[in-house]
Amino acid sequence: MSVKKFLYVNRKAPYGTVYALESLEVVLIGAAFEQDVSLLFADDGVYQLTKGHDTKDLEMKNFSPAFSALGDYDVNKIFVEKESLEERGLTLEDLQHLTWEDEDEDWAEKDSIRLVSRAEVGELMETQDVILSF
Amino acid sequence: MILHTVNKSPFEKNSLESCLQHAQKGSAVLLIEDGVFGATKGTKISDRVSEAMSNDITVYALEGDLKARGVADKVMDGVKLVDYAGFVDLSVDQDKVQAWL
């Protein structure tokens, strides 16, 4: 099976709708097929990555800890759109610190999140074979 | 007076804007679910919410929804936080509820 470039586009806030959880489940299933996977968080999707989710009052599952496991599944290209953060009064500091270990560099820990501009996101989309939208 | 509820993100739908344009002075607006992003500071719509508050509209936000989304520490000054019991109290205190879906 040839390796294709997959981009998962996440534009919805978590918990209010089921999109965010569904996306994460598809990403984790897809990770088993050893494809070239990238994740994009833009618009309200950036809220999926905020730190310290506490869903106790809602009696819903807090799925945000699963993002920190993505590195172990070789999902380490996580793009966050800069303008989306700014419009929401957020910075990278408000997001989880997601990392992965590079086996080619003696398992050095590296950041998974890459801050990109809206223009760069447009270009990123053009480089993909498959785009899945959530 | 009317209790207005907004459950959609202000960055995705115009529910909050529509609500604020219709709400009369002295009324209450309660932000719930994805609507709670309207209660956070430093956003592209936070000035609009401040303006409504200075026009004698009381803005409430459901604390559980803020906490779930990791933005409980970003609530703008003047917004009052309520829990589910507070939501019930607001519904009972006002004579009608209008939900901006």
Side-chain angles (χ1 to χ4, degrees), chain A residues 108-122:
Chain A
E109 190 174 271
K110 298 185 175 180
D111 287 347
S112 298
I113 291 183
R114 307 172 195 195
L115 201 57
V116 285
S117 69
R118 200 157 273 165
E120 288 171 316
V121 167

Side-chain angles (χ1 to χ4, degrees), chain A residues 11-17 44 47 50-58 62 86-91 94, chain B residues 9-12 33-34 37 40-45 62-65 67-71 73-74 83-84:
Chain A
R11 298 184 48 252
K12 304 278 188 191
Y15 312 114
T17 63
D44 279 350
Y47 288 119
T50 50
K51 287 176 190 166
H53 290 193
D54 173 3
T55 58
K56 204 161 59 259
D57 290 354
L58 304 192
N62 173 6
E86 288 168 358
E87 287 166 3
R88 289 161 182 77
L90 300 173
T91 67
D94 295 310
Chain B
S9 166
F11 309 116
E12 196 174 71
E33 300 169 25
D34 287 346
F37 297 126
T40 59
K41 59 189 169 192
T43 76
K44 66 175 177 181
I45 60 105
L62 198 60
E63 192 172 16
D65 281 320
K67 282 158 68 181
R69 291 162 180 76
V71 293
D73 58 346
K74 297 198 167 291
D83 56 11
Y84 285 114

Side-chain angles (χ1 to χ4, degrees), chain A residues 76-132:
Chain A
N76 51 38
K77 291 190 287 285
I78 300 181
F79 297 91
V80 174
E81 192 180 82
K82 187 165 161 284
E83 290 89 338
S84 297
L85 285 177
E86 288 168 358
E87 287 166 3
R88 289 161 182 77
L90 300 173
T91 67
L92 266 188
E93 290 299 301
D94 295 310
L95 307 185
Q96 293 191 54
H97 183 210
L98 302 179
T99 59
W100 62 290
E101 292 174 340
D102 189 346
E103 65 173 304
D104 297 329
E105 290 186 26
D106 196 24
W107 307 100
E109 190 174 271
K110 298 185 175 180
D111 287 347
S112 298
I113 291 183
R114 307 172 195 195
L115 201 57
V116 285
S117 69
R118 200 157 273 165
E120 288 171 316
V121 167
E123 292 165 16
L124 173 71
M125 288 174 149
E126 293 289 346
T127 67
Q128 303 295 315
D129 296 309
V130 181
I131 301 180
L132 295 156

Side-chain angles (χ1 to χ4, degrees), chain B residues 10-66:
Chain B
F11 309 116
E12 196 174 71
K13 288 213 149 95
N14 70 345
S15 308
L16 177 61
E17 178 57 30
S18 220
C19 167
L20 295 178
Q21 286 185 20
H22 291 87
Q24 302 291 300
K25 281 181 190 295
S27 59
V29 171
L30 171 62
L31 307 176
I32 60 173
E33 300 169 25
D34 287 346
V36 296
F37 297 126
T40 59
K41 59 189 169 192
T43 76
K44 66 175 177 181
I45 60 105
S46 50
D47 285 350
R48 180 71 185 89
V49 177
S50 299
E51 181 197 337
M53 290 192 289
S54 59
N55 269 326
D56 197 22
I57 288 171
T58 312
V59 178
Y60 299 86
L62 198 60
E63 192 172 16
D65 281 320
L66 288 160

